[in-house]
Amino acid sequence: MNQAAREDLTTPTFPPPEELARNANVTEATYAQAEVDDLAFWAEQAKRISWSKEPTEVLDWSNAPFAKWFADGELNAAYNMVDRHVEAGHGDRVAFHFEGEPGDARAITYAELKDEVSQLANALVELGVQAGDRVAIYMPMIPEAVIAMVACARLGAPHVVVFGGFSADALVNRINDCGCEIVITADGGYRRGKPSALKPAVDKALLQCPQVRNVIVAKRTGQDTEMVQGRDLWWDDFVATQSTEHTPESFPAEQPLYVMYSSGSTGKPKGILHTTGGYLVGTAYTHWATFDLKPETDVFWTAADIGWVTGHSYLVYAPLLNGATSVLYEGTPDTPHKGRWWEIIDKYRVTILYCAPTAIRTFMKWGSEIPERYDLSSLRILGSVGEPINPEAYLWYRKHIGHDDTPVVDTWWQTETGMHLISPMPGVATGKPGAAMRALPGVSVEVVDDEGKVLGKGESGLLVLTKPWPAMLRSLWNDDQRYIDTYWSRFDNMYFAGDGAKRDADGDIWLLGRVDDVMNVSGHRMSTAEIESALVSHPKVAEAAVVGATDETTGQAIVAFVILRSDAGDGGDDIVNELRTHVANEIGAIAKPKSIMVVSELPKTRSGKIMRRLLRDIAEDREVGDVTTLQDSSVMDQIKSGLKGGS
Ligand code: WT7
């Protein structure tokens, strides 16, 4: 999507509703205050957190780019997420309205959450888990998933949540890269009206993870589940019988909190490391600011999976830190019917919804008559995340979901950033459909050219962060050098985000998509290199090139070009399905190419680099662009005339 072109349309803009502006958490004064002294501003935000030892330092950047935030402070993350709300008399407040896909529901109060987190913490201690040990979590969207994350945080044992849609192989890589010895999972979860098993993938993965000692298994679907004697423990037997008393220990602010793997521009996923104090401050503050959160009255819903960073920061951490009431929904938006989300909003009187543009575009396709059947009047703020929201989707979202008076906040951030960095503030900004607008108070972004020169109004370039922020990643797991190379080497003293951006005539920021070989499919980051390496690991494939082609619903769709090995002949009739299944097994169903084309050549430059731009032209069914830098310029004609493939 070419946002720059879209901006010229005479799209309407939307000033904040008067009442919201009057009572807004963030005002122009907040920006002004942060501008005077950003470190003093962050010190002030740190008061959102209860410290067992108050920090006296804010930022230690002496060993840049390795940051320490609030370094001499001490705290316990889980104490901040549950205990302190109970101590403050809010034990009866609902932390989560859990809604299962089949329609079963459970309200979990802060007091109940504290008890269940304590039980799991005691269980993990019994299994020998100590501060610093990594624990893998592979769960459906059920309360036990949240409990597992908070219990790990309570012990200072970094969790490594692996998205439930990832395959056994992806699980192996993550468990082994992080050296996890404990896995928390479930028998399965409900997906599209059916139980979908998870435990068999764990069993398969653990054949290659000899260091894993124990597996805790929550019962969700009740499907037949094999349990390995001496290794596997049912949650109901082992966790639910533990004491509900557990004393939280204090940890230094820089205690590792979690590792979350994300795709980069090479084949190997990066283990993004977040630590405790700064992450908690950054997520609690941004949740309060971007969503104008009023924890006493709001009902907040992040419709994202805990397997992604959005689920970490804004489904688990920030809402619990802020003592908010949230919705946790297990399933898909169209089960058992296409009005499921709106039914949930109606039922729980949700006031703030946070989701991805790809979901909005899907709802647009299904038609506005579906949400019209429900009472959505409780909504007061709509959030968007994952990719630029195109003006059509923004306008539809605001009109049909937000009864035309609800601000839409388009939040730009990354797994690495941990927290929102660019977003309109709902009580201040005049919303422009398609623009992420402005850095949050306290955050410093610029758009620069290739040499790092700061660009001004009306100019396009690369997005950089010019100052550290509290929830920033601290490094990549076991790979400090890759951390430096990926984010801090392109420019001096600036974090390179990998996104293109422009400032419009008013100086507001528009995101223009990735500038590297990373695709964005339904708001999820996918690496071309990772899928290429999955494809070439198939015995029939000699070479593969993957591109992201523009797709109306998912933003980008994965399109693969493969050259078969000479002994594979034409690969057989089912070669396309065979390869798609292979990618699903290697990475997960979400990485399956939408289409695969078998070709005899790939377009390469003289230095051997694949020219993805030309393949994208084919994938998007366009005239092929400039071929003069190709080593053999007839290759494109050969590719086009000999295509074999399909979706
Ligand atoms: C990449 C980060 C942040 C949680 C979900 C994705 C793209 C994300 C926006 C937005 C334009 C966006 C960027 C970014 N992105 N939000 N509001 N507008 N682009 O996290 O998997 O770490 O991906 O997603 O390209 O670099 P992620």
Side-chain angles (χ1 to χ4, degrees):
M1 166 98 26
N2 185 342
Q3 295 289 355
R6 308 312 306 269
E7 188 209 333
D8 297 332
L9 292 178
T10 43
T11 342
T13 56
F14 304 101
E18 256 170 51
E19 201 194 311
L20 199 156
R22 235 187 346 266
N23 301 308
N25 290 349
V26 169
T27 63
E28 275 303 341
T30 321
Y31 288 96
Q33 187 205 341
E35 207 133 288
V36 174
D37 183 345
D38 58 303
L39 292 181
F41 179 80
W42 289 123
E44 188 68 26
Q45 302 314 317
K47 295 183 182 149
R48 299 177 183 281
I49 298 303
S50 306
W51 303 81
S52 51
K53 179 168 174 280
E54 296 279 338
T56 62
E57 300 167 34
V58 185
L59 169 67
D60 176 356
W61 192 232
S62 59
N63 184 29
F66 299 95
K68 289 185 183 159
W69 281 88
F70 312 113
D72 65 344
E74 290 179 10
L75 74 171
N76 183 286
Y79 173 81
N80 275 279
M81 296 162 84
V82 284
D83 306 52
R84 66 168 174 161
H85 305 307
V86 178
E87 286 171 15
H90 303 313
D92 291 338
R93 187 182 291 170
V94 173
F96 285 103
H97 289 291
F98 169 67
E99 177 83 15
E101 198 189 69
D104 56 320
R106 180 187 164 202
I108 304 153
T109 64
Y110 274 93
E112 288 165 343
L113 192 59
K114 173 174 179 282
D115 287 352
E116 297 199 32
V117 165
S118 298
Q119 286 182 318
L120 181 59
N122 285 323
L124 291 171
V125 168
E126 192 180 320
L127 296 180
V129 173
Q130 295 181 1
D133 293 351
R134 280 79 58 206
V135 175
I137 298 176
Y138 186 64
M139 302 277 265
M141 289 281 289
I142 57 175
E144 286 82 354
V146 177
I147 293 165
M149 290 168 70
V150 185
C152 289
R154 193 177 188 90
L155 299 177
H159 51 72
V160 183
V161 178
V162 180
F163 173 55
F166 277 136
S167 67
D169 283 342
L171 191 54
V172 171
N173 294 338
R174 287 156 176 78
I175 289 176
N176 287 345
D177 194 59
C178 260
C180 301
E181 297 182 2
I182 304 287
V183 178
I184 305 176
T185 187
D187 51 357
Y190 290 96
R191 230 45 236 145
R192 303 190 194 285
K194 290 193 301 266
S196 158
L198 274 179
K199 178 66 166 43
V202 175
D203 292 336
K204 184 173 171 216
L206 294 194
L207 297 173
Q208 293 178 66
C209 310
Q211 79 282 7
V212 172
R213 298 192 306 266
N214 293 105
V215 180
I216 297 178
V217 188
K219 189 171 281 174
R220 168 64 182 145
T221 56
Q223 58 204 129
D224 276 346
T225 302
E226 257 179 59
M227 297 290 276
V228 174
Q229 189 85 40
R231 186 193 73 183
D232 301 351
L233 301 152
W234 283 111
W235 185 297
D236 286 348
D237 300 336
F238 181 62
V239 179
T241 50
Q242 299 276 343
S243 159
T244 54
E245 295 300 319
H246 177 271
T247 308
E249 196 185 319
S250 292
F251 297 104
E254 287 296 337
Q255 177 75 16
L257 183 63
Y258 70 81
V259 178
M260 159 119 269
Y261 284 83
S262 181
S263 297
S265 49
T266 68
K268 189 173 175 279
K270 301 179 287 205
I272 290 161
L273 171 68
H274 284 288
T275 61
T276 309
Y279 179 82
L280 300 189
V281 171
T283 53
Y285 156 66
T286 51
H287 183 238
W288 168 89
T290 305
F291 300 114
D292 189 45
L293 182 84
K294 309 286 197 283
E296 311 279 334
T297 46
D298 275 320
V299 178
F300 180 78
W301 182 16
T302 289
D305 196 281
I306 51 138
W308 309 110
V309 75
T310 306
H312 278 49
S313 294
Y314 298 104
L315 197 153
V316 177
Y317 280 98
L320 291 177
L321 290 167
N322 285 330
T325 295
S326 297
V327 169
L328 173 67
Y329 173 54
E330 177 182 30
T332 43
D334 52 354
T335 309
H337 56 79
K338 292 192 165 98
R340 195 61 203 278
W341 276 27
W342 321 123
E343 180 182 73
I344 290 172
I345 289 173
D346 190 342
K347 176 173 174 187
Y348 296 111
R349 311 307 300 145
V350 171
T351 59
I352 305 167
L353 173 65
Y354 191 33
C355 67
T358 184
I360 299 162
R361 290 191 296 263
T362 302
F363 298 133
M364 280 173 77
K365 250 190 336 206
W366 291 347
S368 54
E369 62 282 4
I370 297 174
E372 270 158 26
R373 290 181 205 134
Y374 300 89
D375 178 2
L376 305 181
S377 60
S378 53
L379 286 169
R380 65 181 197 95
I381 289 177
L382 301 175
S384 170
V385 59
E387 58 172 310
I389 179 165
N390 50 308
E392 290 82 356
Y394 181 115
L395 292 171
W396 188 91
Y397 193 25
R398 184 180 152 102
K399 177 160 183 218
H400 295 286
I401 307 304
H403 24 85
D404 236 344
D405 57 7
T406 310
V408 173
V409 288
D410 174 14
T411 61
W412 179 89
W413 58 298
Q414 308 177 299
T415 308
E416 290 87 342
T417 72
M419 66 186 221
H420 301 156
L421 295 184
I422 307 176
S423 173
M425 293 291 104
V428 179
T430 290
K432 283 183 193 171
M437 306 293 289
R438 186 174 176 190
L440 268 75
V443 174
S444 304
V445 306
E446 293 291 357
V447 178
V448 300
D449 70 9
D450 278 339
E451 269 74 57
K453 184 171 104 26
V454 172
L455 299 176
K457 291 179 180 172
E459 294 185 296
S460 303
L462 302 169
L463 187 76
V464 294
L465 278 300
T466 54
K467 283 183 182 169
W469 61 99
M472 65 194 279
L473 79 166
R474 297 303 194 261
S475 188
L476 297 177
W477 186 257
N478 269 338
D479 208 343
D480 287 346
Q481 191 57 46
R482 191 175 177 197
Y483 168 68
I484 297 171
D485 293 345
T486 311
Y487 308 105
W488 300 96
S489 297
R490 177 86 189 241
F491 303 112
D492 282 344
N493 282 317
M494 294 195 273
Y495 171 92
F496 172 58
D499 279 40
K502 76 167 269 181
R503 281 196 193 270
D504 66 14
D506 302 323
D508 291 323
I509 295 174
W510 298 64
L511 276 307
L512 303 175
R514 300 287 305 185
V515 295
D516 53 12
D517 291 331
V518 172
M519 297 172 288
N520 189 324
V521 182
S522 299
H524 299 315
R525 214 192 308 183
M526 293 279 145
S527 142
T528 51
E530 198 179 343
I531 298 171
E532 285 163 4
S533 81
L535 284 165
V536 296
S537 73
H538 188 282
K540 288 184 184 167
V541 175
E543 258 196 276
V546 166
V547 298
T550 303
D551 183 277
E552 234 179 66
T553 308
T554 57
Q556 284 187 311
I558 304 166
V559 176
F561 295 82
V562 297
I563 302 177
L564 298 178
R565 295 167 75 122
S566 49
D567 55 5
D570 72 352
D573 288 346
D574 220 20
I575 182 70
V576 168
N577 275 329
E578 199 177 319
L579 294 180
R580 293 180 78 229
T581 308
H582 178 71
V583 172
N585 288 335
E586 291 286 308
I587 306 173
I590 46 164
K592 265 198 219 174
K594 186 174 178 199
S595 61
I596 296 182
M597 309 197 200
V598 177
V599 295
S600 53
E601 296 285 347
L602 288 171
K604 289 189 186 154
T605 61
R606 285 170 194 91
S607 62
K609 199 171 175 313
I610 292 173
M611 292 194 70
R612 288 200 172 72
R613 169 172 65 78
L614 298 177
L615 293 175
R616 248 190 318 267
D617 288 340
I618 294 193
E620 293 174 356
D621 213 6
R622 255 198 315 267
E623 273 301 295
V624 172
D626 184 5
V627 295
T628 50
T629 54
L630 282 183
Q631 193 199 2
D632 171 0
S633 59
S634 68
V635 162
M636 292 314 290
D637 296 331
Q638 289 174 38
I639 292 177
K640 281 200 298 187
S641 59
L643 282 181
K644 169 182 174 182
S647 337

